[in-house]
Amino acid sequence: MADIDVTLLRRQAEAVLFSLGAPIEARRLAETLDIDPRLLERVIDELSESLAGHGLMVQRHDGLVQMATRPEAADAVRRLLNPEVPGRLSPAAYETLAIIAYRQPITKAGIDEVRGVDCERVLEGLLNRGLVEERGRLDAPGTPRLFGTTMRFLQLLGVERVDDLPGVPDPAPG
Amino acid sequence: MADIDVTLLRRQAEAVLFSLGAPIEARRLAETLDIDPRLLERVIDELSESLAGHGLMVQRHDGLVQMATRPEAADAVRRLLNPEVPGRLSPAAYETLAIIAYRQPITKAGIDEVRGVDCERVLEGLLNRGLVEERGRLDAPGTPRLFGTTMRFLQLLGVERVDDLPGVPDPAPG
Amino acid sequence: MNVEVRVQTDVFEGPIDLLLTLAQRQQVDLSQVRLGDLAWDYLATIREGTGSGPVRSAEELAAFLVVATRLLALKAASLLPGPNDGETEEDLESWEEQVRVRMAEYARFKEAALELMRRHAEGGFAFPSAIEAEIVPSERLAIDAGGLAGAFQAVLDRLPAPAEVEVELTRYSLTEEMDAIRARLRVAESTSFTALFDAAAGRLHAVVIFLALLELIRAGEARFRQRDVFGDIEILRGVAVADG
């Protein structure tokens, strides 16, 4: 493959993500397109750019890629598909979600420390709602579970990547 | 609605079609977007244009609209998802399909006349495969059933509309 | 047609279907074919009964008749008299025209069918999206990115600034506390254990002072003595006095 047709790869990636309609590991997508994972990064970058001004976008998170609708079109989608189950996050859940979003991956002890209270129940709620998920274990005594946000979280937020969150404070020194 | 934002409508239509993953009646899509059906035609035209050079396209047929992947990406999609694709047809079936595609809506008698043989069984096969469907009845003695091709037929050939098929024979003079 | 009727004529040998196709493309001169021969070939096929037996369905018979009729029509059209032959001229012309149009139309559909078959075989399918319900938010959870950032900032604001914590920690340095005890023992040969902790600012400070004392005892710079069981512990200057 001397001459790599990035435009064709972009189209193929777009078609695959579209028809899959679910998150896929970047590694697996690269395999499907028969390209190097590093090239995939470029292909997805181009796809993301080509979808500017469209009703769709590419979301990337934790080694996963997926195609999703943009938030400005969300109302129309809801109107048609009619799923609208109103839900609300408690201030505690909101705060916990924020800590996880900006400090992921983080242990429960880490969240507790920042919030100053035990987050067991709040964390469970976020896990059940699919906003947060386990992300392996910390290599430390007791190997505590690590938590991070999900694709669904990005979806509800309507952003392409966690990096697109506004005003990310500097990482904690610890 | 003094100032209609066609670009926003185009994005919304795109998001809706992606989320739906199935054909939708143009009438219903117009309702969802809260616009006049005539305006929808323009919105879909613009969406179709905006997808030039992409891996996706808009298929339109018989008052239905659907988004689908472009044929040049079919291999990649099949490699990953291995979706069910229609198997090969008999020469008689392709012939019947061609007649229906170019002369739709057409009665069984009309097909028989062109082919010069009874198409009962072949037609049944095409109906079962979802490539052809009933399209109302002819306002004539006996009100015979009319047949036309389906969205699935467009997917089989990877075109946006029946008009995109090559070498459409001239309409029969009768 | 399921049954293959093979015909033998001077200009063509093979399936009757193919003969029709070639005749339509004018690749076989039908004027050289005696249609009666075709009928005989068909009857012969029936009598021989290839494999499945001599019984033919009405459908197959009809199929043969249609092909034969088309051949007949084609042949008739090609044998029609010229345009200056009497009064039925116009009727004949229009009839001939009709036959030609019909044949041409059928031929075009055959071409179109081949094109469909080719495209199908190429596999350039279009696939719809198979969306997972999760992609479409089913819960109207309006998480606002700005609000999320605000919530996190509020949490950070609640925490004491990291810089202050560091100052606290450096204040209780083990070496400093050891120096303080050494200084006491230089002034007086002994001191009370509890008096050592009079200056302790808190629990953590007290722990550091105690650790400093243990360190000095280990090094031989200090000793301790308790005269009675519940009495105060006395800290004495040790033998290995470090100067400075």
Side-chain angles (χ1 to χ4, degrees):
Chain A
M1 14 180 242
D3 234 6
I4 293 164
D5 187 345
V6 176
T7 307
L8 177 63
L9 288 169
R10 164 170 66 68
R11 285 186 206 168
Q12 289 177 327
E14 188 177 24
V16 166
L17 291 173
F18 172 85
S19 56
L20 183 63
I24 181 175
E25 280 174 41
R27 193 181 42 70
R28 192 140 172 252
L29 182 57
E31 267 172 37
T32 301
L33 301 179
D34 198 19
I35 55 170
D36 191 278
R38 278 163 306 181
L39 178 57
L40 181 74
E41 193 69 18
R42 204 179 123 206
V43 170
I44 299 296
D45 281 345
E46 290 213 2
L47 175 57
S48 180
E49 270 170 43
S50 79
L51 285 172
H54 278 257
L56 307 174
M57 62 181 175
V58 186
Q59 297 184 312
R60 282 182 267 186
H61 181 61
D62 188 36
L64 293 171
V65 190
Q66 84 173 15
M67 190 175 267
T69 59
R70 281 189 196 273
E72 58 264 42
D75 275 349
V77 174
R78 275 198 211 96
R79 223 174 295 145
L80 180 72
L81 299 175
N82 222 7
E84 218 157 311
V85 182
R88 189 172 291 170
L89 290 179
S90 67
Y94 220 74
E95 221 175 86
T96 306
L97 192 56
I99 293 165
I100 297 173
Y102 284 110
R103 289 285 182 271
Q104 57 188 309
I106 186 171
T107 62
K108 184 182 158 293
I111 306 166
D112 290 354
E113 197 185 317
V114 178
R115 283 202 66 225
V117 286
D118 184 85
C119 300
E120 178 88 42
R121 238 179 253 179
V122 177
L123 185 59
E124 215 162 274
L126 293 173
L127 284 163
N128 287 341
R129 290 183 118 136
L131 295 170
V132 162
E133 66 191 350
E134 201 184 310
R135 186 79 55 69
R137 282 169 179 277
L138 187 65
D139 188 16
T143 60
R145 298 195 291 163
L146 287 164
F147 297 96
T149 54
T150 60
M151 274 283 193
R152 180 171 154 75
F153 165 76
L154 284 192
Q155 183 61 29
L156 287 168
L157 214 58
V159 298
E160 294 197 33
R161 322 168 77 153
V162 170
D163 293 350
D164 296 342
L165 287 175
V168 185
D170 298 323
Chain B
M1 31 175 227
D3 231 9
I4 293 165
D5 187 347
V6 176
T7 308
L8 177 63
L9 288 168
R10 163 169 67 69
R11 284 186 208 167
Q12 289 178 328
E14 189 176 24
V16 166
L17 290 172
F18 168 65
S19 310
L20 195 60
I24 180 175
E25 281 175 39
R27 193 183 42 70
R28 195 151 163 246
L29 183 56
E31 268 173 34
T32 302
L33 301 180
D34 198 18
I35 55 171
D36 191 277
R38 279 164 304 180
L39 179 56
L40 181 75
E41 192 69 17
R42 206 180 121 205
V43 170
I44 299 296
D45 281 346
E46 289 215 1
L47 175 58
S48 179
E49 271 170 43
S50 79
L51 286 172
H54 277 257
L56 310 175
M57 62 183 178
V58 187
Q59 296 186 310
R60 280 183 269 186
H61 183 63
D62 188 38
L64 293 171
V65 190
Q66 173 168 22
M67 246 172 109
T69 60
R70 282 190 194 272
E72 54 265 43
D75 279 349
V77 175
R78 291 180 78 175
R79 226 173 294 142
L80 180 72
L81 296 171
N82 197 21
E84 200 190 312
V85 294
R88 294 197 62 168
L89 307 173
S90 69
Y94 284 114
E95 222 174 276
T96 307
L97 201 50
I99 294 165
I100 297 174
Y102 290 115
R103 289 281 183 274
Q104 58 188 313
I106 186 171
T107 62
K108 185 182 156 295
I111 306 166
D112 289 356
E113 198 184 319
V114 177
R115 283 201 65 223
V117 286
D118 183 87
C119 300
E120 178 89 39
R121 238 178 255 180
V122 177
L123 184 58
E124 216 162 275
L126 293 174
L127 283 164
N128 288 340
R129 280 166 174 258
L131 295 170
V132 163
E133 66 189 350
E134 202 183 312
R135 187 78 56 72
R137 283 170 177 276
L138 187 64
D139 187 16
T143 60
R145 297 196 291 163
L146 288 164
F147 298 95
T149 55
T150 59
M151 275 285 191
R152 192 169 160 75
F153 168 73
L154 287 191
Q155 276 154 26
L156 177 85
L157 297 175
V159 295
E160 293 194 73
R161 323 170 75 150
V162 170
D163 292 351
D164 296 341
L165 287 175
V168 184
D170 301 319
Chain C
M1 268 190 16
N2 299 327
V3 64
E4 186 182 80
V5 177
R6 298 188 68 84
V7 296
Q8 273 193 320
T9 72
D10 292 342
V11 292
F12 175 84
E13 270 189 48
I16 193 167
D17 269 11
L18 184 57
L19 174 61
L20 175 58
T21 305
L22 293 177
Q24 281 166 350
R25 291 181 187 164
Q26 296 179 331
Q27 286 165 345
V28 166
D29 184 2
L30 273 186
S31 64
Q32 305 295 312
V33 176
R34 283 179 27 187
L35 294 181
D37 291 350
L38 304 185
W40 282 114
D41 285 334
Y42 178 70
L43 290 174
T45 308
I46 285 181
R47 284 198 198 95
E48 282 164 20
T50 48
S52 57
V55 183
R56 297 287 161 203
S57 69
E59 195 184 326
E60 284 168 2
L61 175 61
F64 168 77
L65 287 178
V66 164
V67 173
T69 310
R70 278 167 186 274
L71 285 168
L72 183 61
L74 263 186
K75 177 156 180 155
S78 69
L79 295 177
L80 276 176
N84 46 3
D85 268 8
E87 47 193 65
T88 54
E89 175 189 320
E90 273 179 30
D91 283 354
L92 283 171
E93 258 181 27
S94 75
W95 179 77
E96 183 187 23
E97 187 53 30
Q98 258 181 36
V99 172
R100 282 199 197 286
V101 166
R102 178 71 52 84
M103 288 304 158
E105 185 187 31
Y106 181 68
R108 270 188 299 187
F109 279 121
K110 262 201 129 77
E111 291 294 323
L114 284 175
E115 175 65 16
L116 293 190
M117 182 157 50
R118 192 185 61 74
R119 286 195 166 220
H120 186 184
E122 263 177 16
F125 302 108
F127 297 107
S129 57
I131 216 93
E132 266 183 20
E134 278 166 34
I135 297 270
V136 184
S138 61
E139 200 176 20
R140 204 195 175 98
L141 258 185
I143 299 180
D144 161 55
L148 201 67
F152 190 59
Q153 195 56 57
V155 171
L156 291 184
D157 291 347
R158 258 195 350 237
L159 290 173
E164 289 174 33
V165 177
E166 277 169 30
V167 170
E168 292 267 325
L169 286 175
T170 50
R171 205 195 287 165
Y172 307 128
S173 132
L174 191 63
T175 43
E176 272 178 28
E177 294 309 325
M178 285 167 72
D179 285 347
I181 297 170
R182 278 190 198 111
R184 272 174 179 257
L185 292 177
R186 265 201 297 274
V187 179
E189 199 172 314
S190 74
T191 177
S192 127
F193 177 77
T194 48
L196 280 180
F197 298 95
D198 288 348
R203 215 179 267 202
L204 181 59
H205 193 184
V207 169
V208 177
I209 293 171
F210 184 62
L211 286 175
L213 178 61
L214 289 180
E215 193 56 32
L216 290 176
I217 290 169
R218 192 188 61 77
E221 291 184 50
R223 293 175 291 130
F224 67 94
R225 178 170 71 194
Q226 192 173 25
R227 290 187 191 276
D228 49 277
V229 181
F230 297 107
D232 194 12
I233 299 169
E234 228 181 327
I235 305 300
L236 306 162
R237 192 193 294 165
V239 276
V241 177
D243 284 310

